[in-house]
């Protein structure tokens, strides 16, 4: 089991920036895929960005490409989501997720991830 703890959410104005952090513990993360998902009010949970711990390949939802950047710090076992040019439609609870051996084609599917954090609220005011 991997324990995940998110931080960094908050209230920001349209066009502003936030950086989310996800600290992982419990296992070494070689072979894991880490991802961020979000769930807005009245919406289904959706994929935002993902990163393979070994190699660092990244994936993004079309809605955030060019605005969000996922990265990792191996020494700190932490994944980050830098969010720039935020829009009101980015308002959601953001969840960190992790799982071992996620195949590329399934990286966008929440059902592929076995470990989840508690979520952090991001609110973008218009």
């Amino acid at each position: 089991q991997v324990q995940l703890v998110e931080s960094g959410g908050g209230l920001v104005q349209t066009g502003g920036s936030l950086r989310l952090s996800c600290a992982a513990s419990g296992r070494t993360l070689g072979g894991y895929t880490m991802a961020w998902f979000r769930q807005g009010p009245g919406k289904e949970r959706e994929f935002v960005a993902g990163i393979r711990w070994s190699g660092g390949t990244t994936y993004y939802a079309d809605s955030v490409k060019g605005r969000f950047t996922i990265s990792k710090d191996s020494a700190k076992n932490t994944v980050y989501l830098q969010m720039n040019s935020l829009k009101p439609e980015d308002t959601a609870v953001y969840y960190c997720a992790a799982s071992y051996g996620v195949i590329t084609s399934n990286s966008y599917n929440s059902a592929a991830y076995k470990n989840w954090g508690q979520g952090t609220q991001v609110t973008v005011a218009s």
Side-chain angles (χ1 to χ4, degrees):
Q1 274 291 68
V2 176
Q3 289 77 47
L4 304 170
V5 179
E6 302 102 332
S7 60
L11 173 65
V12 65
Q13 297 294 315
T14 296
S17 298
L18 280 175
R19 189 177 80 157
L20 306 183
S21 300
C22 173
S25 61
R27 280 189 180 272
T28 57
L29 297 176
Y32 272 73
T33 296
M34 309 288 292
W36 288 95
F37 287 77
R38 66 186 182 187
Q39 188 164 14
K43 297 181 180 179
E44 293 187 355
R45 191 169 296 190
E46 64 174 357
F47 173 83
V48 176
I51 186 167
R52 290 197 178 276
W53 197 262
S54 304
T57 303
T58 57
Y59 316 92
Y60 294 94
D62 288 343
S63 59
V64 306
K65 277 181 185 174
R67 299 189 298 124
F68 291 10
T69 302
I70 189 170
S71 62
K72 65 180 179 74
D73 184 331
S74 298
K76 295 182 179 180
N77 254 24
T78 299
V79 171
Y80 302 98
L81 185 68
Q82 177 67 45
M83 305 185 294
N84 298 328
S85 302
L86 282 161
K87 306 174 182 180
E89 51 263 44
D90 294 317
T91 295
V93 177
Y94 283 70
Y95 296 91
C96 180
S99 204
Y100 181 84
V102 179
I103 62 174
T104 302
S105 60
N106 220 19
S107 299
Y108 309 87
N109 183 0
S110 62
Y113 294 85
K114 293 182 171 57
N115 305 282
W116 291 84
Q118 80 287 354
T120 185
Q121 176 71 46
V122 171
T123 303
V124 184
S126 56

